[in-house]
Amino acid sequence: MTGADSIEHVANDEVDAEPTGRLRSTVEALRGFVARIPFSIGFAVALLVTSIVTGTIVGAASETTTGMWAAGVATTIESAKWWTVATALVIPWDPFQLVFGLLAAILLLGIAERRMGTPRTIAALLLTGVAGVALGTLLQWLGSLAGEWWATGTAADLTLDPLTGIVGALIAATAFMRALWRRRIRIVTFAVILVFVLYDGDSSNVYRLLAAIAGLFLGAILTGDPSTLRARRSSHGETRTLVAAVVAVTAIGPIVALVNRTELTPFSFGSYLFSDDPIDLDTVMSQCGAAVDAVGDECVQQLALLSAQGFGMFLLSFVPVALLLLAGWGLRSGRRFALWLAIAVNLAILVFARTAYEVTITTADVEDGTWSAFDIGELVVWIAAALALPIGIIVMLAVTRRHFRLRAPWGAFRRFALTVAASFVVLAGAYYIIGLVTLDEYWPAATPWDLLLDTVKRFVPPHFAVVDPIVLPGHDLTSFLYQAVGPLFWTIFIGAAIALMRRTRSEDGAADDARLRLLLRRHGGGTLGFMATWPGNVTWFADDGDAAVAYRVINGVAITMSDPICGPGDAGRVIREFAAFCDANSWVPVFYSVHPQYLPVFEELGWQHMAVGEETLVRTTGLELTGKPWQKVRQALNRGIKEGMTTVWTSWDELPLATEAEITSISEEWVAEKELPEMGFTLGGMEELEDHEVRLMLALGPDGRIQAVTSWLPVFRENEVIGWTIDFMRRADGSMNGIMEFLIASAALHMKADGAEVLSLSGAPLATKPLAAGEEPPEPNAMTRLLDFLAKTLEPAYGFSSLFRFKAKFNPEYETLSMAYPDPLALPAIGLAIGRAYLPEVSPKEAVALMRTLTT
């Protein structure tokens, strides 16, 4: 990593060195963060003081404390202690809440203060906190008067909860954040709160939800920008991150329900299976007799509780949690298997939701069979709440499924299926056979059919499987298998699933990547050659193993990624061999973005070729940014130096975590501002810049924050890096005018100092190089007219011409990039395939936005 503490000043007309700087370390970033959150630290101290004064630092709040300072229907409304809506925000309930409150005050409230300043943070904490508590208490009071079940059950609650105001302030602060963190914090925060509301139902959770909603609108008011309430589009990688986070957050719900043991929410009813006082089989048998059918419902209930006890049943109850966490891990990496796993678990939860009806009947006073209109309305709301979360997750996964395209090789999936099936057969068979041998010791008396059904239930979480018949083993070995086979099976399943999702491509694919990189280092592959290593490409190797072609097949068209990777004299042979390989597979070969030196080979083959863009090259050997042609670039470079801008030449692996997050945020902000779909193929993104051989050039402001970022792909020759090709370009909002000129010029100077020969500004699609003095333009034909039409049509959407003019500031040399193809009749299919290569995933909304841009 380049590092220097001082800025190298250069004269206006003699710029010959890059203004190097260094990145802030994580410790420096944390120190700067703490220095800018005085209120948050003060609030944490206030929580500590109030906990000492009220005694909650050593135990739960006393009746005296809650009666005077806690919010609730009894204190705030019935006793007219109006101040409790504010005091409840500054006193923790017990030591556990004190710890969480201190952490939340410094981290979450600190983030809010860092983004919107101290005065706004104070206002947001008080306004959203008071609004959440006051409105929640009012709704409880009105609901209890009407006889609503949740309000009636919680009307006696008294709440002390500093997290309410902190959550509200955090959500308000998201309006001041970039699109990436605004979206992440809002989605994860609301997901966590909703899980606690649905699985716990405590008053404080509802207050937090109301405070968070208030924070959304307060943030829009404080910024004066209603657009902060609007959803912004995200990149494919960010969509995967958000979906994975939501799925993982919903996994904690059953744990919340088990810990809190409440019957006030639609999802917490499974916790009743786990009794604090274990039930003994002998006791149940003595109380209920030999035949359960002859006894009342109480004995059946005792039998159901008994069937769910034991170490195995306890572990089995957390299978949905483990599977959802596993699915979240896989979704983060774009695994299609994880998508189907998450859908399957949520479908199972929908089946579990049938219990909501039973809980509702028990909670409502309808033993006489009469239902009021209000009771029916409550029932509808309750069941809808029980169904809403899993249905919402399933819909979310279905809508975003195009972002999860990574599939394991068929052989890996076959091994997974065989492993899971074999383990199920062995474990189920063992339990069933041992069960048949000890069938006389089951209680109640069981038949082979009852045992077969019970065998299936051994693999299902107990709260999914409390159905008749319920039979319990009496033999020690059978009892052990009763508890063990289910957890053991799911352990094998999870291990096999992890192995499956790690295999996104075969071992040969990994070996192919290593071979490809060796050939790139040896032969180069041109200035665009490193793009061959990008995801989505397949590598063909020549018979002698000393040449390769990177390609992707779309609709029967094999599109290559620039030049063949081979020795200087082998191009003709390699192109012919690859064409024969495509012909054997009934593909149309297309060499895309090839350089002029290969065109004679295609002409010998009788192929057609056409220009598809212009590459701009800057020779860095002996580069001097002097004279009138470099005036605009030199002005940008000098301005940046005067404003204290510095640069860092580094790689992704060398970045501190804070810098990685900053780059990701800048990229997501860029994506969010565009309704148009992201382009791929020869245009890289965040995934490509993380390659260990790719270098980054960062522009840092005087405060050490990133103003702009570029990524550079290596250009090889005879195992040496002889140049760099730009790929990824992003600038932060509010950065200096001319920041990209400053950054690219700095990169050029760095490459000159390192001895590089060439800097490529990459290709400009559908561009035409300027004519030399006295040069006549070629005669237009049907294809050139079509390309001109496409360039003019796509310009409003993607600005290819504007980008080409920007690159012209660097006084480059031009090399025409061409597309070579064997059959002119295949051009329509080739055009569609290239379009899909650049825009592989276009949602209906993005397609509408693209058409609207093109037609306005």
Side-chain angles (χ1 to χ4, degrees):
M1 180 185 296
T2 300
D5 295 326
S6 61
I7 300 172
E8 297 188 36
H9 295 280
V10 293
N12 287 346
D13 294 327
E14 297 181 356
V15 180
D16 58 3
E18 58 167 323
T20 58
R22 68 180 183 88
L23 297 171
R24 295 182 300 170
S25 67
T26 302
V27 173
E28 289 174 323
L30 290 175
R31 189 184 300 124
F33 173 78
V34 171
R36 302 180 67 174
I37 56 169
F39 171 70
S40 302
I41 295 176
F43 187 76
V45 173
L47 293 182
L48 186 61
V49 170
T50 58
S51 67
I52 294 173
V53 172
T54 60
T56 59
I57 192 172
V58 294
S62 64
E63 292 185 8
T64 302
T65 299
T66 56
M68 179 58 65
W69 307 114
V73 173
T75 54
T76 307
I77 296 179
E78 294 177 353
S79 298
K81 295 178 180 177
W82 53 266
W83 60 84
T84 56
V85 298
T87 57
L89 304 176
V90 295
I91 303 174
W93 180 269
D94 55 24
F96 294 102
Q97 195 178 84
L98 172 62
V99 172
F100 284 112
L102 293 175
L103 293 174
I106 294 173
L107 298 178
L108 304 184
L109 192 62
I111 291 172
E113 187 175 6
R114 174 69 178 80
R115 298 308 303 173
M116 60 181 177
T118 300
R120 291 193 185 99
T121 302
I122 296 173
L125 176 75
L126 294 175
L127 291 175
T128 61
V130 169
V133 174
L135 183 57
T137 303
L138 180 62
L139 291 175
Q140 282 177 294
W141 178 61
L142 294 175
S144 63
L145 294 178
E148 194 275 333
W149 300 329
W150 174 82
T152 301
T154 60
D157 287 355
L158 295 176
T159 298
L160 296 170
D161 183 33
L163 292 178
T164 299
I166 293 174
V167 167
L170 176 66
I171 296 298
T174 58
F176 294 82
M177 298 178 183
R178 288 173 176 164
L180 172 71
W181 288 106
R182 179 189 309 161
R183 184 170 49 234
R184 283 184 176 181
I185 291 176
R186 286 180 178 179
I187 289 177
V188 172
T189 300
F190 275 102
V192 171
I193 293 174
L194 285 172
V195 164
F196 273 84
V197 168
L198 292 172
Y199 282 92
D200 181 10
D202 185 75
S203 299
S204 60
N205 294 310
V206 176
Y207 298 167
R208 293 168 195 162
L209 177 61
L210 295 172
I213 294 172
L216 282 176
F217 293 98
L218 179 61
I221 294 172
L222 292 176
T223 59
D225 183 9
S227 68
T228 59
L229 298 173
R230 179 171 58 87
R232 308 282 290 276
R233 73 181 301 273
S234 58
S235 66
H236 301 307
E238 178 63 11
T239 299
R240 291 193 290 266
T241 298
L242 294 174
V243 171
V246 171
V247 170
V249 166
T250 60
I252 68 174
I255 300 176
V256 174
L258 182 64
V259 171
N260 288 282
R261 300 284 186 87
T262 177
E263 294 183 355
L264 295 172
T265 67
F267 278 110
S268 60
F269 34 75
S271 62
Y272 75 91
L273 290 173
F274 304 100
S275 174
D276 291 325
D277 300 319
I279 302 172
D280 180 73
L281 176 61
D282 294 334
T283 302
V284 175
M285 291 177 64
S286 64
Q287 292 177 351
C288 299
V292 175
D293 294 339
V295 299
D297 293 339
E298 183 178 350
C299 285
V300 174
Q301 182 183 18
Q302 293 294 311
L303 185 61
L305 292 173
L306 186 60
S307 69
Q309 289 185 172
F311 74 93
M313 296 300 100
F314 181 79
L315 294 176
L316 203 57
S317 66
F318 290 98
V319 165
V321 177
L323 293 180
L324 286 175
L325 291 175
L326 175 65
W329 172 73
L331 290 169
R332 174 63 184 85
S333 302
R335 267 66 172 188
R336 179 58 64 94
F337 177 83
L339 178 81
W340 290 114
L341 178 62
I343 290 175
V345 175
N346 279 279
L347 285 174
I349 293 175
L350 281 177
V351 175
F352 175 36
R354 77 192 190 284
T355 315
Y357 178 79
E358 300 171 4
V359 173
T360 302
I361 297 298
T362 303
T363 307
D365 187 15
V366 292
E367 286 83 358
D368 58 357
T370 60
W371 286 76
S372 68
F374 187 83
D375 289 331
I376 294 175
E378 280 285 278
L379 176 63
V380 171
V381 172
W382 204 258
I383 294 178
L387 299 176
L389 185 61
I391 289 178
I393 298 297
I394 292 171
V395 170
M396 176 191 70
L397 292 169
V399 170
T400 60
R401 66 186 182 281
R402 66 191 179 97
H403 300 283
F404 306 97
R405 302 170 65 89
L406 293 182
R407 293 179 171 89
W410 172 246
F413 185 80
R414 184 169 59 249
R415 285 192 294 273
F416 166 79
L418 289 174
T419 300
V420 171
S423 62
F424 178 82
V425 170
V426 170
L427 293 171
Y431 176 75
Y432 187 73
I433 292 172
I434 299 300
L436 285 176
V437 174
T438 61
L439 191 62
D440 293 341
E441 299 187 47
Y442 274 82
W443 185 85
T447 65
W449 175 251
D450 293 336
L451 181 61
L452 181 62
L453 292 178
D454 188 63
T455 300
V456 175
K457 288 162 60 177
R458 293 310 94 226
F459 301 90
V460 182
H463 46 287
F464 284 20
V466 184
V467 294
D468 291 335
I470 300 176
V471 292
L472 299 173
H475 192 277
D476 289 343
L477 178 58
T478 314
S479 297
F480 173 78
L481 293 175
Y482 181 95
Q483 298 287 339
V485 292
L488 182 56
F489 168 77
W490 286 110
T491 300
I492 295 172
F493 179 95
I494 290 171
I498 291 174
L500 175 68
M501 288 191 285
R502 283 178 173 171
R503 294 289 307 277
T504 56
R505 59 180 180 172
S506 66
E507 296 297 333
D508 290 340
D512 287 350
D513 182 71
R515 290 177 63 192
L516 175 64
R517 290 176 185 261
L518 286 175
L519 291 176
L520 274 172
R521 286 185 167 275
R522 184 184 308 159
H523 300 306
T527 50
L528 306 181
F530 195 80
M531 295 179 184
T533 64
W534 286 359
N537 292 324
V538 181
T539 305
W540 169 87
F541 292 96
D543 293 338
D544 61 1
D546 194 41
V549 174
Y551 69 98
R552 59 185 67 191
V553 179
I554 301 174
N555 295 340
V557 178
I559 310 170
T560 73
M561 183 70 80
S562 193
D563 304 335
I565 303 168
C566 61
D570 296 331
R573 175 182 59 82
V574 172
I575 290 172
R576 289 182 177 88
E577 288 184 9
F578 179 74
F581 166 74
C582 292
D583 184 62
N585 287 278
S586 299
W587 299 334
V588 177
V590 174
F591 278 80
Y592 190 79
S593 291
V594 293
H595 287 88
Q597 62 266 34
Y598 297 97
L599 297 184
V601 176
F602 297 112
E603 291 171 354
E604 290 179 9
L605 292 173
W607 288 25
Q608 305 289 315
H609 59 81
M610 56 186 289
V612 293
E614 295 289 338
E615 184 179 14
T616 47
L617 302 170
V618 177
R619 302 298 171 182
T620 53
T621 302
L623 176 66
E624 298 293 340
L625 305 183
T626 57
K628 187 174 181 180
W630 288 99
Q631 183 176 356
K632 293 182 179 179
V633 174
R634 191 168 59 249
Q635 287 174 346
L637 185 58
N638 289 333
R639 178 183 176 183
I641 293 173
K642 290 178 181 179
E643 294 189 9
M645 305 289 293
T646 57
T647 60
V648 173
W649 178 262
T650 183
S651 66
W652 185 265
D653 293 338
E654 296 173 325
L655 297 177
L657 291 176
T659 305
E660 291 182 7
E662 203 171 351
I663 294 174
T664 303
S665 179
I666 291 172
S667 179
E668 283 299 320
E669 186 72 20
W670 181 85
V671 172
E673 291 173 352
K674 300 180 181 297
E675 293 184 359
L676 304 176
E678 290 181 88
M679 299 188 76
F681 193 31
T682 61
L683 302 173
M686 286 293 298
E687 185 176 0
E688 286 75 19
L689 67 81
E690 296 176 13
D691 190 289
H692 68 280
E693 293 191 90
V694 173
R695 292 296 178 265
L696 308 178
M697 178 63 92
L698 311 178
L700 308 180
D703 59 354
R705 298 184 66 82
I706 296 177
Q707 300 291 305
V709 55
T710 55
S711 72
W712 299 86
L713 313 179
V715 180
F716 297 105
R717 185 179 64 216
E718 297 178 354
N719 297 311
E720 298 290 336
V721 176
I722 58 137
W724 300 90
T725 299
I726 197 169
D727 175 39
F728 183 92
M729 293 192 296
R730 298 287 190 272
R731 56 176 291 170
D733 288 344
S735 58
M736 179 191 79
N737 289 334
I739 188 66
M740 296 311 302
E741 291 92 334
F742 167 83
L743 192 54
I744 293 174
S746 299
L749 293 172
H750 176 87
M751 294 173 195
K752 172 189 173 182
D754 275 2
E757 299 177 12
V758 64
L759 177 156
S760 171
L761 294 174
S762 197
L766 304 177
T768 304
K769 65 181 177 182
L771 297 174
E775 184 180 1
E776 294 292 330
E779 288 294 326
N781 54 37
M783 188 53 62
T784 58
R785 292 191 187 97
L786 174 60
L787 292 176
D788 289 341
F789 169 76
L790 289 175
K792 293 176 182 178
T793 303
L794 293 174
E795 177 61 23
Y798 291 105
F800 295 141
S801 298
S802 302
L803 179 62
F804 189 59
R805 289 193 297 271
F806 167 79
K807 294 177 179 181
K809 295 180 181 180
F810 296 90
N811 304 293
E813 300 173 8
Y814 296 97
E815 272 203 358
T816 301
L817 300 175
S818 300
M819 177 181 74
Y821 52 96
D823 184 4
L825 296 179
L827 273 177
I830 292 172
L832 290 174
I834 292 174
R836 282 198 59 193
Y838 275 109
L839 297 171
E841 300 170 342
V842 182
S843 68
K845 181 180 178 181
E846 291 170 337
V848 170
L850 177 59
M851 292 305 299
R852 185 170 61 246
T853 303
L854 297 179
T855 55
T856 54

